[in-house]
Amino acid sequence: LGLCEAFGIGVLAIVPDFTAPPGPHEVERAIASLAEAARWAQAFGVTLALEPRGRLPFCSSIPTALSLIEAAGEPNVGLCLD
């Protein structure tokens, strides 16, 4: 995040993943972690862009990513579409 700030990078793409399909506890932890990361990033003027990837066991679709973003409830978390 410090490098993002130093180089004027305002958006950081992140890809969530688990080694196996997550259970309810892991999903709750992922949401809490995303919200915490967003608060850290906000201090550096950075927006996090969550990138879903179809081949991953977690966050493999746009609807899932949007649900995680909404659940995190932080204004500087968005969706990465590339």
Side-chain angles (χ1 to χ4, degrees):
L1 293 171
L3 288 174
C4 288
E5 181 181 50
F7 289 106
I9 299 167
V11 178
L12 179 63
I14 57 173
V15 178
D17 196 15
F18 285 92
T19 56
H25 175 72
E26 288 83 14
V27 172
E28 288 176 18
R29 187 183 63 172
I31 292 166
S33 295
L34 179 59
E36 183 176 6
R39 289 188 294 273
W40 289 348
Q42 191 170 39
F44 290 88
V46 175
T47 294
L48 301 180
L50 193 61
E51 182 177 1
R53 294 202 177 170
R55 67 184 183 280
L56 299 178
F58 181 66
C59 196
S60 60
S61 69
I62 292 171
T64 299
L66 290 173
S67 293
L68 293 169
I69 291 165
E70 183 178 342
E74 297 295 329
N76 63 321
V77 180
L79 185 64
C80 176
L81 298 173
D82 64 353

Short mmCIF file of all heavy atoms in Angstrom, two decimals:
data_model
loop_
_atom_site.label_atom_id
_atom_site.label_comp_id
_atom_site.label_asym_id
_atom_site.label_seq_id
_atom_site.Cartn_x
_atom_site.Cartn_y
_atom_site.Cartn_z
N LEU A 1 0.82 -1.19 0.00
CA LEU A 1 0.00 0.00 0.00
C LEU A 1 0.86 1.25 0.00
O LEU A 1 0.50 2.24 -0.62
CB LEU A 1 -0.96 -0.02 1.19
CG LEU A 1 -2.04 -1.10 1.13
CD1 LEU A 1 -2.80 -1.17 2.44
CD2 LEU A 1 -2.97 -0.88 -0.03
N GLY A 2 1.98 1.18 0.69
CA GLY A 2 2.90 2.30 0.68
C GLY A 2 3.43 2.58 -0.71
O GLY A 2 3.58 3.74 -1.12
N LEU A 3 3.71 1.52 -1.47
CA LEU A 3 4.18 1.70 -2.85
C LEU A 3 3.07 2.26 -3.73
O LEU A 3 3.33 3.09 -4.61
CB LEU A 3 4.69 0.38 -3.42
CG LEU A 3 6.02 -0.11 -2.86
CD1 LEU A 3 6.35 -1.49 -3.40
CD2 LEU A 3 7.14 0.86 -3.18
N CYS A 4 1.85 1.81 -3.51
CA CYS A 4 0.72 2.36 -4.27
C CYS A 4 0.64 3.86 -4.03
O CYS A 4 0.49 4.65 -4.98
CB CYS A 4 -0.59 1.70 -3.86
SG CYS A 4 -0.78 0.00 -4.42
N GLU A 5 0.76 4.25 -2.79
CA GLU A 5 0.70 5.67 -2.45
C GLU A 5 1.86 6.42 -3.08
O GLU A 5 1.67 7.48 -3.69
CB GLU A 5 0.71 5.84 -0.93
CG GLU A 5 0.62 7.28 -0.48
CD GLU A 5 0.67 7.40 1.02
OE1 GLU A 5 1.56 6.82 1.66
OE2 GLU A 5 -0.20 8.11 1.56
N ALA A 6 3.07 5.87 -2.98
CA ALA A 6 4.26 6.54 -3.50
C ALA A 6 4.21 6.73 -5.01
O ALA A 6 4.68 7.75 -5.52
CB ALA A 6 5.51 5.76 -3.10
N PHE A 7 3.65 5.76 -5.72
CA PHE A 7 3.61 5.83 -7.18
C PHE A 7 2.28 6.35 -7.73
O PHE A 7 2.05 6.35 -8.93
CB PHE A 7 3.92 4.46 -7.79
CG PHE A 7 5.36 4.07 -7.64
CD1 PHE A 7 5.73 3.11 -6.72
CD2 PHE A 7 6.35 4.68 -8.40
CE1 PHE A 7 7.06 2.74 -6.56
CE2 PHE A 7 7.68 4.33 -8.26
CZ PHE A 7 8.04 3.37 -7.33
N GLY A 8 1.38 6.76 -6.84
CA GLY A 8 0.10 7.30 -7.27
C GLY A 8 -0.84 6.26 -7.87
O GLY A 8 -1.66 6.58 -8.71
N ILE A 9 -0.71 5.02 -7.42
CA ILE A 9 -1.58 3.94 -7.89
C ILE A 9 -2.83 3.94 -7.02
O ILE A 9 -2.77 3.62 -5.83
CB ILE A 9 -0.85 2.58 -7.83
CG1 ILE A 9 0.37 2.63 -8.74
CG2 ILE A 9 -1.79 1.45 -8.21
CD1 ILE A 9 1.33 1.48 -8.54
N GLY A 10 -3.96 4.29 -7.61
CA GLY A 10 -5.17 4.45 -6.83
C GLY A 10 -6.04 3.22 -6.71
O GLY A 10 -6.95 3.18 -5.89
N VAL A 11 -5.76 2.20 -7.54
CA VAL A 11 -6.58 0.98 -7.50
C VAL A 11 -5.65 -0.23 -7.45
O VAL A 11 -4.72 -0.34 -8.25
CB VAL A 11 -7.50 0.88 -8.73
CG1 VAL A 11 -8.30 -0.41 -8.70
CG2 VAL A 11 -8.44 2.07 -8.80
N LEU A 12 -5.92 -1.12 -6.54
CA LEU A 12 -5.16 -2.35 -6.38
C LEU A 12 -6.10 -3.54 -6.58
O LEU A 12 -7.06 -3.70 -5.83
CB LEU A 12 -4.52 -2.42 -4.99
CG LEU A 12 -3.71 -3.66 -4.65
CD1 LEU A 12 -2.49 -3.78 -5.58
CD2 LEU A 12 -3.25 -3.60 -3.20
N ALA A 13 -5.84 -4.34 -7.62
CA ALA A 13 -6.66 -5.53 -7.87
C ALA A 13 -6.24 -6.63 -6.91
O ALA A 13 -5.05 -6.87 -6.70
CB ALA A 13 -6.49 -6.00 -9.31
N ILE A 14 -7.22 -7.30 -6.33
CA ILE A 14 -6.96 -8.41 -5.42
C ILE A 14 -7.79 -9.61 -5.87
O ILE A 14 -8.89 -9.47 -6.37
CB ILE A 14 -7.24 -8.06 -3.95
CG1 ILE A 14 -8.68 -7.59 -3.76
CG2 ILE A 14 -6.28 -6.99 -3.45
CD1 ILE A 14 -9.08 -7.38 -2.32
N VAL A 15 -7.21 -10.80 -5.70
CA VAL A 15 -7.88 -12.04 -6.09
C VAL A 15 -8.01 -12.91 -4.85
O VAL A 15 -7.01 -13.37 -4.31
CB VAL A 15 -7.08 -12.79 -7.18
CG1 VAL A 15 -7.76 -14.09 -7.55
CG2 VAL A 15 -6.90 -11.91 -8.41
N PRO A 16 -9.23 -13.10 -4.36
CA PRO A 16 -9.42 -13.95 -3.19
C PRO A 16 -9.34 -15.42 -3.58
O PRO A 16 -9.75 -15.80 -4.67
CB PRO A 16 -10.83 -13.59 -2.72
CG PRO A 16 -11.53 -13.17 -3.96
CD PRO A 16 -10.48 -12.54 -4.85
N ASP A 17 -8.79 -16.21 -2.69
CA ASP A 17 -8.72 -17.64 -2.97
C ASP A 17 -8.57 -18.44 -1.69
O ASP A 17 -8.06 -17.95 -0.69
CB ASP A 17 -7.55 -17.94 -3.91
CG ASP A 17 -7.65 -19.32 -4.53
OD1 ASP A 17 -8.72 -19.92 -4.48
OD2 ASP A 17 -6.64 -19.79 -5.07
N PHE A 18 -9.02 -19.64 -1.75
CA PHE A 18 -8.83 -20.65 -0.72
C PHE A 18 -8.29 -21.88 -1.43
O PHE A 18 -8.51 -22.06 -2.63
CB PHE A 18 -10.16 -21.01 -0.03
CG PHE A 18 -10.65 -19.97 0.93
CD1 PHE A 18 -11.52 -18.97 0.51
CD2 PHE A 18 -10.25 -19.99 2.25
CE1 PHE A 18 -11.98 -18.01 1.39
CE2 PHE A 18 -10.72 -19.03 3.15
CZ PHE A 18 -11.58 -18.04 2.71
N THR A 19 -7.62 -22.75 -0.72
CA THR A 19 -7.10 -23.97 -1.34
C THR A 19 -8.20 -25.00 -1.57
O THR A 19 -8.02 -25.91 -2.37
CB THR A 19 -5.98 -24.59 -0.48
OG1 THR A 19 -6.50 -24.84 0.83
CG2 THR A 19 -4.79 -23.65 -0.39
N ALA A 20 -9.31 -24.85 -0.88
CA ALA A 20 -10.46 -25.75 -1.05
C ALA A 20 -11.72 -24.90 -0.93
O ALA A 20 -11.67 -23.78 -0.42
CB ALA A 20 -10.43 -26.82 0.03
N PRO A 21 -12.85 -25.41 -1.38
CA PRO A 21 -14.09 -24.64 -1.21
C PRO A 21 -14.30 -24.28 0.26
O PRO A 21 -14.21 -25.16 1.13
CB PRO A 21 -15.17 -25.58 -1.72
CG PRO A 21 -14.46 -26.46 -2.70
CD PRO A 21 -13.07 -26.65 -2.12
N PRO A 22 -14.56 -23.01 0.55
CA PRO A 22 -14.69 -22.58 1.95
C PRO A 22 -16.04 -22.90 2.54
O PRO A 22 -17.04 -22.97 1.84
CB PRO A 22 -14.49 -21.07 1.86
CG PRO A 22 -15.01 -20.73 0.51
CD PRO A 22 -14.65 -21.90 -0.38
N GLY A 23 -16.04 -23.09 3.85
CA GLY A 23 -17.28 -23.26 4.60
C GLY A 23 -17.75 -21.91 5.10
O GLY A 23 -17.11 -20.88 4.85
N PRO A 24 -18.87 -21.87 5.82
CA PRO A 24 -19.43 -20.60 6.30
C PRO A 24 -18.45 -19.79 7.16
O PRO A 24 -18.40 -18.56 7.04
CB PRO A 24 -20.65 -21.03 7.11
CG PRO A 24 -21.00 -22.39 6.60
CD PRO A 24 -19.71 -23.01 6.16
N HIS A 25 -17.68 -20.46 8.01
CA HIS A 25 -16.73 -19.74 8.87
C HIS A 25 -15.66 -19.04 8.03
O HIS A 25 -15.31 -17.89 8.29
CB HIS A 25 -16.08 -20.69 9.87
CG HIS A 25 -15.02 -20.04 10.70
ND1 HIS A 25 -15.32 -19.13 11.68
CD2 HIS A 25 -13.67 -20.14 10.66
CE1 HIS A 25 -14.19 -18.70 12.23
NE2 HIS A 25 -13.18 -19.30 11.62
N GLU A 26 -15.16 -19.72 7.01
CA GLU A 26 -14.13 -19.14 6.15
C GLU A 26 -14.67 -17.96 5.35
O GLU A 26 -13.97 -16.97 5.14
CB GLU A 26 -13.54 -20.19 5.21
CG GLU A 26 -12.64 -21.20 5.89
CD GLU A 26 -13.42 -22.35 6.54
OE1 GLU A 26 -14.62 -22.51 6.24
OE2 GLU A 26 -12.81 -23.07 7.35
N VAL A 27 -15.92 -18.06 4.91
CA VAL A 27 -16.52 -16.94 4.17
C VAL A 27 -16.66 -15.73 5.08
O VAL A 27 -16.33 -14.60 4.68
CB VAL A 27 -17.88 -17.35 3.56
CG1 VAL A 27 -18.60 -16.15 2.97
CG2 VAL A 27 -17.69 -18.44 2.51
N GLU A 28 -17.11 -15.93 6.32
CA GLU A 28 -17.21 -14.83 7.28
C GLU A 28 -15.84 -14.20 7.51
O GLU A 28 -15.71 -12.97 7.58
CB GLU A 28 -17.80 -15.32 8.59
CG GLU A 28 -19.27 -15.64 8.52
CD GLU A 28 -19.79 -16.22 9.83
OE1 GLU A 28 -19.13 -16.06 10.88
OE2 GLU A 28 -20.86 -16.85 9.79
N ARG A 29 -14.83 -15.03 7.65
CA ARG A 29 -13.46 -14.54 7.85
C ARG A 29 -12.98 -13.75 6.64
O ARG A 29 -12.34 -12.71 6.76
CB ARG A 29 -12.51 -15.70 8.14
CG ARG A 29 -11.11 -15.25 8.54
CD ARG A 29 -10.22 -16.42 8.72
NE ARG A 29 -10.15 -17.09 7.41
CZ ARG A 29 -9.35 -18.07 7.12
NH1 ARG A 29 -8.59 -18.58 8.04
NH2 ARG A 29 -9.33 -18.60 5.93
N ALA A 30 -13.31 -14.23 5.44
CA ALA A 30 -12.91 -13.53 4.22
C ALA A 30 -13.56 -12.15 4.14
O ALA A 30 -12.91 -11.17 3.75
CB ALA A 30 -13.28 -14.36 2.99
N ILE A 31 -14.81 -12.06 4.51
CA ILE A 31 -15.51 -10.76 4.49
C ILE A 31 -14.88 -9.81 5.50
O ILE A 31 -14.62 -8.64 5.19
CB ILE A 31 -17.01 -10.96 4.76
CG1 ILE A 31 -17.67 -11.68 3.59
CG2 ILE A 31 -17.70 -9.62 5.04
CD1 ILE A 31 -19.06 -12.21 3.87
N ALA A 32 -14.62 -10.30 6.71
CA ALA A 32 -13.98 -9.46 7.72
C ALA A 32 -12.60 -9.02 7.27
O ALA A 32 -12.20 -7.86 7.48
CB ALA A 32 -13.91 -10.21 9.05
N SER A 33 -11.86 -9.92 6.64
CA SER A 33 -10.51 -9.58 6.16
C SER A 33 -10.57 -8.56 5.04
O SER A 33 -9.73 -7.65 4.97
CB SER A 33 -9.79 -10.84 5.69
OG SER A 33 -9.57 -11.72 6.77
N LEU A 34 -11.54 -8.69 4.15
CA LEU A 34 -11.69 -7.73 3.06
C LEU A 34 -12.01 -6.35 3.62
O LEU A 34 -11.43 -5.34 3.19
CB LEU A 34 -12.79 -8.19 2.09
CG LEU A 34 -13.09 -7.27 0.92
CD1 LEU A 34 -11.86 -7.05 0.05
CD2 LEU A 34 -14.24 -7.86 0.08
N ALA A 35 -12.90 -6.28 4.60
CA ALA A 35 -13.24 -5.00 5.21
C ALA A 35 -12.02 -4.39 5.90
O ALA A 35 -11.77 -3.18 5.79
CB ALA A 35 -14.39 -5.18 6.20
N GLU A 36 -11.26 -5.21 6.60
CA GLU A 36 -10.07 -4.70 7.28
C GLU A 36 -9.03 -4.20 6.28
O GLU A 36 -8.43 -3.14 6.45
CB GLU A 36 -9.46 -5.79 8.17
CG GLU A 36 -8.27 -5.31 8.97
CD GLU A 36 -7.73 -6.36 9.91
OE1 GLU A 36 -8.21 -7.51 9.89
OE2 GLU A 36 -6.80 -6.03 10.67
N ALA A 37 -8.82 -4.97 5.22
CA ALA A 37 -7.87 -4.55 4.18
C ALA A 37 -8.32 -3.25 3.54
O ALA A 37 -7.49 -2.38 3.23
CB ALA A 37 -7.74 -5.65 3.12
N ALA A 38 -9.61 -3.08 3.34
CA ALA A 38 -10.14 -1.85 2.76
C ALA A 38 -9.87 -0.65 3.65
O ALA A 38 -9.51 0.42 3.17
CB ALA A 38 -11.63 -1.99 2.49
N ARG A 39 -10.01 -0.84 4.95
CA ARG A 39 -9.74 0.26 5.88
C ARG A 39 -8.26 0.64 5.83
O ARG A 39 -7.91 1.82 5.85
CB ARG A 39 -10.20 -0.10 7.28
CG ARG A 39 -11.73 -0.13 7.39
CD ARG A 39 -12.21 -0.29 8.82
NE ARG A 39 -11.86 -1.59 9.40
CZ ARG A 39 -12.59 -2.69 9.30
NH1 ARG A 39 -13.73 -2.66 8.61
NH2 ARG A 39 -12.21 -3.81 9.86
N TRP A 40 -7.38 -0.35 5.78
CA TRP A 40 -5.94 -0.06 5.64
C TRP A 40 -5.68 0.67 4.33
O TRP A 40 -4.96 1.66 4.30
CB TRP A 40 -5.13 -1.34 5.66
CG TRP A 40 -5.04 -2.04 6.97
CD1 TRP A 40 -5.40 -1.56 8.20
CD2 TRP A 40 -4.56 -3.36 7.18
NE1 TRP A 40 -5.18 -2.51 9.16
CE2 TRP A 40 -4.67 -3.63 8.57
CE3 TRP A 40 -4.07 -4.36 6.35
CZ2 TRP A 40 -4.27 -4.83 9.12
CZ3 TRP A 40 -3.69 -5.55 6.90
CH2 TRP A 40 -3.78 -5.79 8.27
N ALA A 41 -6.25 0.18 3.25
CA ALA A 41 -6.02 0.77 1.93
C ALA A 41 -6.53 2.21 1.88
O ALA A 41 -5.89 3.07 1.27
CB ALA A 41 -6.70 -0.07 0.85
N GLN A 42 -7.65 2.46 2.53
CA GLN A 42 -8.22 3.81 2.52
C GLN A 42 -7.25 4.82 3.12
O GLN A 42 -7.17 5.96 2.66
CB GLN A 42 -9.55 3.82 3.26
CG GLN A 42 -10.33 5.10 3.07
CD GLN A 42 -11.73 4.98 3.62
OE1 GLN A 42 -11.95 4.36 4.67
NE2 GLN A 42 -12.69 5.54 2.92
N ALA A 43 -6.50 4.39 4.12
CA ALA A 43 -5.51 5.28 4.75
C ALA A 43 -4.42 5.70 3.76
O ALA A 43 -3.76 6.72 3.96
CB ALA A 43 -4.89 4.61 5.97
N PHE A 44 -4.23 4.93 2.70
CA PHE A 44 -3.23 5.22 1.68
C PHE A 44 -3.86 5.79 0.40
O PHE A 44 -3.19 5.96 -0.61
CB PHE A 44 -2.45 3.96 1.33
CG PHE A 44 -1.55 3.49 2.43
CD1 PHE A 44 -2.02 2.63 3.41
CD2 PHE A 44 -0.23 3.91 2.50
CE1 PHE A 44 -1.20 2.20 4.43
CE2 PHE A 44 0.60 3.49 3.52
CZ PHE A 44 0.12 2.63 4.50
N GLY A 45 -5.17 6.04 0.43
CA GLY A 45 -5.86 6.56 -0.73
C GLY A 45 -6.04 5.53 -1.84
O GLY A 45 -6.10 5.88 -3.01
N VAL A 46 -6.15 4.26 -1.47
CA VAL A 46 -6.23 3.17 -2.44
C VAL A 46 -7.60 2.51 -2.38
O VAL A 46 -8.14 2.25 -1.31
CB VAL A 46 -5.11 2.12 -2.18
CG1 VAL A 46 -5.25 0.92 -3.09
CG2 VAL A 46 -3.73 2.76 -2.34
N THR A 47 -8.13 2.20 -3.56
CA THR A 47 -9.35 1.42 -3.68
C THR A 47 -8.97 -0.01 -4.02
O THR A 47 -8.09 -0.24 -4.87
CB THR A 47 -10.24 2.00 -4.81
OG1 THR A 47 -10.68 3.29 -4.42
CG2 THR A 47 -11.44 1.11 -5.08
N LEU A 48 -9.59 -0.97 -3.38
CA LEU A 48 -9.37 -2.38 -3.68
C LEU A 48 -10.38 -2.83 -4.73
O LEU A 48 -11.57 -2.52 -4.61
CB LEU A 48 -9.51 -3.23 -2.42
CG LEU A 48 -8.57 -2.89 -1.28
CD1 LEU A 48 -8.83 -3.82 -0.09
CD2 LEU A 48 -7.11 -2.97 -1.71
N ALA A 49 -9.91 -3.55 -5.72
CA ALA A 49 -10.79 -4.06 -6.77
C ALA A 49 -10.76 -5.58 -6.73
O ALA A 49 -9.74 -6.21 -7.05
CB ALA A 49 -10.32 -3.55 -8.13
N LEU A 50 -11.85 -6.17 -6.32
CA LEU A 50 -11.96 -7.62 -6.17
C LEU A 50 -12.17 -8.26 -7.54
O LEU A 50 -13.09 -7.90 -8.27
CB LEU A 50 -13.14 -7.93 -5.25
CG LEU A 50 -13.29 -9.33 -4.71
CD1 LEU A 50 -12.08 -9.73 -3.86
CD2 LEU A 50 -14.55 -9.42 -3.87
N GLU A 51 -11.29 -9.18 -7.89
CA GLU A 51 -11.36 -9.81 -9.20
C GLU A 51 -11.82 -11.26 -9.09
O GLU A 51 -11.09 -12.12 -8.58
CB GLU A 51 -9.99 -9.77 -9.88
CG GLU A 51 -9.99 -10.37 -11.25
CD GLU A 51 -8.65 -10.28 -11.96
OE1 GLU A 51 -7.68 -9.76 -11.39
OE2 GLU A 51 -8.59 -10.73 -13.11
N PRO A 52 -13.01 -11.57 -9.56
CA PRO A 52 -13.46 -12.97 -9.56
C PRO A 52 -12.75 -13.74 -10.67
O PRO A 52 -12.46 -13.18 -11.74
CB PRO A 52 -14.96 -12.87 -9.83
CG PRO A 52 -15.13 -11.59 -10.56
CD PRO A 52 -14.03 -10.67 -10.09
N ARG A 53 -12.47 -14.99 -10.42
CA ARG A 53 -11.85 -15.85 -11.43
C ARG A 53 -12.58 -17.18 -11.45
O ARG A 53 -12.67 -17.86 -10.43
CB ARG A 53 -10.37 -16.06 -11.14
CG ARG A 53 -9.59 -14.77 -11.26
CD ARG A 53 -8.16 -15.06 -11.49
NE ARG A 53 -7.43 -13.80 -11.68
CZ ARG A 53 -6.14 -13.73 -11.71
NH1 ARG A 53 -5.41 -14.82 -11.57
NH2 ARG A 53 -5.55 -12.58 -11.89
N GLY A 54 -13.07 -17.56 -12.60
CA GLY A 54 -13.91 -18.73 -12.75
C GLY A 54 -13.30 -20.05 -12.34
O GLY A 54 -14.00 -20.97 -11.96
N ARG A 55 -12.01 -20.16 -12.37
CA ARG A 55 -11.38 -21.44 -12.06
C ARG A 55 -11.02 -21.62 -10.58
O ARG A 55 -10.51 -22.66 -10.19
CB ARG A 55 -10.13 -21.63 -12.92
CG ARG A 55 -9.01 -20.67 -12.59
CD ARG A 55 -7.84 -20.84 -13.56
NE ARG A 55 -6.74 -19.99 -13.22
CZ ARG A 55 -6.63 -18.69 -13.50
NH1 ARG A 55 -7.62 -18.10 -14.12
NH2 ARG A 55 -5.58 -18.00 -13.15
N LEU A 56 -11.29 -20.63 -9.76
CA LEU A 56 -10.96 -20.69 -8.34
C LEU A 56 -12.11 -21.31 -7.54
O LEU A 56 -13.27 -21.19 -7.92
CB LEU A 56 -10.65 -19.30 -7.81
CG LEU A 56 -9.47 -18.57 -8.45
CD1 LEU A 56 -9.33 -17.17 -7.84
CD2 LEU A 56 -8.18 -19.35 -8.27
N PRO A 57 -11.79 -21.95 -6.39
CA PRO A 57 -12.86 -22.53 -5.57
C PRO A 57 -13.65 -21.49 -4.79
O PRO A 57 -14.65 -21.80 -4.18
CB PRO A 57 -12.12 -23.47 -4.61
CG PRO A 57 -10.74 -22.92 -4.53
CD PRO A 57 -10.47 -22.29 -5.87
N PHE A 58 -13.22 -20.24 -4.81
CA PHE A 58 -13.88 -19.17 -4.06
C PHE A 58 -13.90 -17.92 -4.93
O PHE A 58 -12.95 -17.62 -5.64
CB PHE A 58 -13.11 -18.90 -2.77
CG PHE A 58 -13.72 -17.84 -1.90
CD1 PHE A 58 -14.96 -18.03 -1.32
CD2 PHE A 58 -13.06 -16.65 -1.68
CE1 PHE A 58 -15.53 -17.06 -0.52
CE2 PHE A 58 -13.62 -15.68 -0.86
CZ PHE A 58 -14.84 -15.88 -0.28
N CYS A 59 -14.99 -17.20 -4.89
CA CYS A 59 -15.15 -15.96 -5.65
C CYS A 59 -14.91 -16.20 -7.14
O CYS A 59 -14.08 -15.56 -7.77
CB CYS A 59 -14.24 -14.87 -5.12
SG CYS A 59 -14.74 -13.23 -5.71
N SER A 60 -15.66 -17.15 -7.67
CA SER A 60 -15.48 -17.53 -9.07
C SER A 60 -16.47 -16.87 -10.02
O SER A 60 -16.46 -17.15 -11.22
CB SER A 60 -15.59 -19.05 -9.20
OG SER A 60 -16.86 -19.48 -8.76
N SER A 61 -17.31 -15.97 -9.50
CA SER A 61 -18.30 -15.32 -10.37
C SER A 61 -18.52 -13.87 -9.95
O SER A 61 -18.22 -13.49 -8.80
CB SER A 61 -19.63 -16.07 -10.32
OG SER A 61 -20.23 -15.91 -9.04
N ILE A 62 -19.05 -13.11 -10.86
CA ILE A 62 -19.35 -11.71 -10.56
C ILE A 62 -20.39 -11.58 -9.44
O ILE A 62 -20.20 -10.78 -8.52
CB ILE A 62 -19.78 -10.96 -11.84
CG1 ILE A 62 -18.58 -10.84 -12.79
CG2 ILE A 62 -20.35 -9.58 -11.51
CD1 ILE A 62 -18.91 -10.31 -14.16
N PRO A 63 -21.47 -12.36 -9.45
CA PRO A 63 -22.43 -12.24 -8.34
C PRO A 63 -21.80 -12.53 -6.97
O PRO A 63 -22.13 -11.86 -5.98
CB PRO A 63 -23.52 -13.26 -8.68
CG PRO A 63 -23.47 -13.36 -10.18
CD PRO A 63 -22.00 -13.24 -10.51
N THR A 64 -20.92 -13.52 -6.91
CA THR A 64 -20.25 -13.82 -5.63
C THR A 64 -19.38 -12.65 -5.20
O THR A 64 -19.40 -12.24 -4.04
CB THR A 64 -19.41 -15.10 -5.75
OG1 THR A 64 -20.26 -16.18 -6.07
CG2 THR A 64 -18.68 -15.39 -4.45
N ALA A 65 -18.62 -12.10 -6.14
CA ALA A 65 -17.75 -10.96 -5.82
C ALA A 65 -18.59 -9.77 -5.34
O ALA A 65 -18.24 -9.11 -4.35
CB ALA A 65 -16.92 -10.57 -7.03
N LEU A 66 -19.70 -9.50 -6.01
CA LEU A 66 -20.55 -8.39 -5.60
C LEU A 66 -21.13 -8.62 -4.21
O LEU A 66 -21.26 -7.67 -3.42
CB LEU A 66 -21.67 -8.18 -6.62
CG LEU A 66 -21.21 -7.61 -7.98
CD1 LEU A 66 -22.38 -7.60 -8.96
CD2 LEU A 66 -20.61 -6.23 -7.83
N SER A 67 -21.46 -9.85 -3.89
CA SER A 67 -21.97 -10.18 -2.54
C SER A 67 -20.90 -9.91 -1.48
O SER A 67 -21.19 -9.37 -0.41
CB SER A 67 -22.41 -11.63 -2.46
OG SER A 67 -23.54 -11.85 -3.27
N LEU A 68 -19.67 -10.30 -1.77
CA LEU A 68 -18.57 -10.07 -0.83
C LEU A 68 -18.32 -8.57 -0.65
O LEU A 68 -18.10 -8.10 0.47
CB LEU A 68 -17.29 -10.76 -1.32
CG LEU A 68 -17.31 -12.28 -1.33
CD1 LEU A 68 -16.11 -12.82 -2.07
CD2 LEU A 68 -17.36 -12.81 0.10
N ILE A 69 -18.34 -7.84 -1.75
CA ILE A 69 -18.12 -6.39 -1.70
C ILE A 69 -19.20 -5.73 -0.84
O ILE A 69 -18.91 -4.91 0.03
CB ILE A 69 -18.09 -5.81 -3.12
CG1 ILE A 69 -16.83 -6.28 -3.85
CG2 ILE A 69 -18.18 -4.29 -3.10
CD1 ILE A 69 -16.87 -6.07 -5.35
N GLU A 70 -20.45 -6.10 -1.09
CA GLU A 70 -21.55 -5.54 -0.31
C GLU A 70 -21.43 -5.90 1.17
O GLU A 70 -21.63 -5.06 2.05
CB GLU A 70 -22.88 -6.02 -0.85
CG GLU A 70 -24.07 -5.41 -0.15
CD GLU A 70 -25.40 -5.87 -0.72
OE1 GLU A 70 -25.44 -6.38 -1.85
OE2 GLU A 70 -26.40 -5.69 -0.02
N ALA A 71 -21.08 -7.14 1.44
CA ALA A 71 -20.96 -7.58 2.83
C ALA A 71 -19.81 -6.88 3.56
O ALA A 71 -19.91 -6.62 4.75
CB ALA A 71 -20.77 -9.10 2.89
N ALA A 72 -18.75 -6.57 2.84
CA ALA A 72 -17.61 -5.87 3.46
C ALA A 72 -18.03 -4.46 3.89
O ALA A 72 -17.54 -3.95 4.90
CB ALA A 72 -16.43 -5.81 2.50
N GLY A 73 -18.91 -3.83 3.12
CA GLY A 73 -19.48 -2.55 3.53
C GLY A 73 -18.51 -1.38 3.56
O GLY A 73 -18.75 -0.42 4.28
N GLU A 74 -17.45 -1.45 2.80
CA GLU A 74 -16.48 -0.35 2.76
C GLU A 74 -16.58 0.38 1.43
O GLU A 74 -16.71 -0.26 0.38
CB GLU A 74 -15.07 -0.88 2.99
CG GLU A 74 -14.84 -1.52 4.35
CD GLU A 74 -14.99 -0.55 5.51
OE1 GLU A 74 -14.69 0.65 5.34
OE2 GLU A 74 -15.40 -0.99 6.60
N PRO A 75 -16.51 1.71 1.44
CA PRO A 75 -16.72 2.47 0.20
C PRO A 75 -15.60 2.34 -0.83
O PRO A 75 -15.80 2.67 -1.99
CB PRO A 75 -16.83 3.92 0.70
CG PRO A 75 -16.05 3.94 1.97
CD PRO A 75 -16.27 2.58 2.59
N ASN A 76 -14.45 1.87 -0.42
CA ASN A 76 -13.32 1.78 -1.34
C ASN A 76 -13.03 0.34 -1.77
O ASN A 76 -11.89 -0.02 -2.04
CB ASN A 76 -12.06 2.42 -0.73
CG ASN A 76 -11.59 1.68 0.52
OD1 ASN A 76 -12.39 1.25 1.33
ND2 ASN A 76 -10.28 1.54 0.65
N VAL A 77 -14.08 -0.46 -1.87
CA VAL A 77 -13.96 -1.81 -2.41
C VAL A 77 -14.88 -1.89 -3.61
O VAL A 77 -16.06 -1.57 -3.51
CB VAL A 77 -14.32 -2.90 -1.39
CG1 VAL A 77 -14.18 -4.29 -2.01
CG2 VAL A 77 -13.47 -2.80 -0.15
N GLY A 78 -14.33 -2.31 -4.74
CA GLY A 78 -15.11 -2.43 -5.95
C GLY A 78 -14.80 -3.70 -6.68
O GLY A 78 -14.12 -4.60 -6.16
N LEU A 79 -15.26 -3.76 -7.91
CA LEU A 79 -15.14 -4.96 -8.73
C LEU A 79 -14.12 -4.72 -9.84
O LEU A 79 -14.15 -3.67 -10.48
CB LEU A 79 -16.50 -5.29 -9.33
CG LEU A 79 -16.65 -6.56 -10.13
CD1 LEU A 79 -16.40 -7.79 -9.27
CD2 LEU A 79 -18.05 -6.61 -10.74
N CYS A 80 -13.25 -5.67 -10.07
CA CYS A 80 -12.29 -5.61 -11.17
C CYS A 80 -12.80 -6.49 -12.31
O CYS A 80 -13.01 -7.68 -12.13
CB CYS A 80 -10.92 -6.11 -10.72
SG CYS A 80 -9.69 -6.18 -12.05
N LEU A 81 -13.04 -5.87 -13.45
CA LEU A 81 -13.46 -6.60 -14.64
C LEU A 81 -12.39 -6.39 -15.71
O LEU A 81 -12.21 -5.28 -16.19
CB LEU A 81 -14.81 -6.11 -15.14
CG LEU A 81 -15.98 -6.26 -14.19
CD1 LEU A 81 -17.22 -5.58 -14.75
CD2 LEU A 81 -16.25 -7.73 -13.92
N ASP A 82 -11.68 -7.43 -16.04
CA ASP A 82 -10.68 -7.30 -17.11
C ASP A 82 -10.70 -8.47 -18.03
O ASP A 82 -11.40 -9.41 -17.89
CB ASP A 82 -9.29 -7.09 -16.54
CG ASP A 82 -8.77 -8.27 -15.72
OD1 ASP A 82 -9.51 -9.21 -15.48
OD2 ASP A 82 -7.60 -8.22 -15.34
#
